[in-house]
Amino acid sequence: MAKLPIFDGHNDTLLHLHLHERGGGRSFFVEGDQGHIDLPRAKRGGFAGGFFAIFVPPVGMKRPMAAPRPGTRPDVPVLDGEYAKSFTQDVIARLRGIERDAAGEVQVVQTVSELDACLQAHVLAIVLHFEGAEAIHPGPEALEEFYDLGLRSLGLFWSRPNIYGDGVPFRFPSSPDIGDGLTDRGIALVRECNRLGILIDLAHINTRGFWDVAEHTNAPLAVTHGCAHRLSPSSRNLEDDQVDAIGDTNGLIGVNFHVGFLREDGEANPDTPIDAIVRHIDYFVDRIGIEHVALGSDFDGATMPSELGDVAGLPKLVDRLRAAGYDSEALELLAYRNWMRVLAETWR
Ligand code: ZN
């Protein structure tokens, strides 16, 4: 049986490669044991592509950042806009270099028909995503420059404030209702995303910001990587009224595999079963329907269940889902069809 193609909501592979390759440590094309995604392992896992994030780390950070321990908050100062912009341009250049070197095996997709063609032809499809809008500098009018460079998905925040509003800090246990909503520029940025047809990612937004986006956007609400607050009360997880709003707008939640957001105790303990991912999927499916649930691994940016390991372990997750009662049609929805629907409704 052919492997189920998986189109995934989130990974931090570009940053991981960027920080490691500067030291000569890791290639996207060579199977390695560092990180979670490279092309050979992606092929083995049936990973057909996904949202590849550009995250701008604090100035001077040399290594990919591990998720902090529950109850702590990393030192995350507000980023300088110029720095964020030039760092982001450097990572886009690296991505385009990967696309070039891949000689047809990797494509940065900008339309749903390009994505569809990649899935058919087994070309790894990359949606360019920013995790935090710091590079959209000096204001929303700069978004179109990045649209022209291929940007099709924008997370307004990571866990720090920027000129558009406040990201939700890491806390456990905690409600995500920490900090203020969107600024006027934040609302203008939402409108600009709608105008250009860029997906707005609600991962790591706080409660007030979430409802501000819900009020002003005309697109389905989407979270590229998130889990259920009811099952794991992290400030970064989604409360039930947010989950319901996502379902009501025909939106989507990509379930995050980071063990600290899956577990009831919030511990970043890799000794966590794959079934913990299945529990969050089940929860969302029961609450808002299978059309509104997908995958959002957080590979290369988080601690995976050791049983899953890396991207090559995806077929194990598919097996568990099948064992939990998801038939072929349901698995296709979770694996890629739902993301394609939401992108088709959002991109123009
Ligand atoms: Zn994230």
Side-chain angles (χ1 to χ4, degrees), residues 10 12 131 158 204 225 236 298:
H10 186 84
D12 289 305
E131 186 165 27
W158 187 68
H204 316 326
H225 55 306
R236 282 181 149 215
D298 218 343

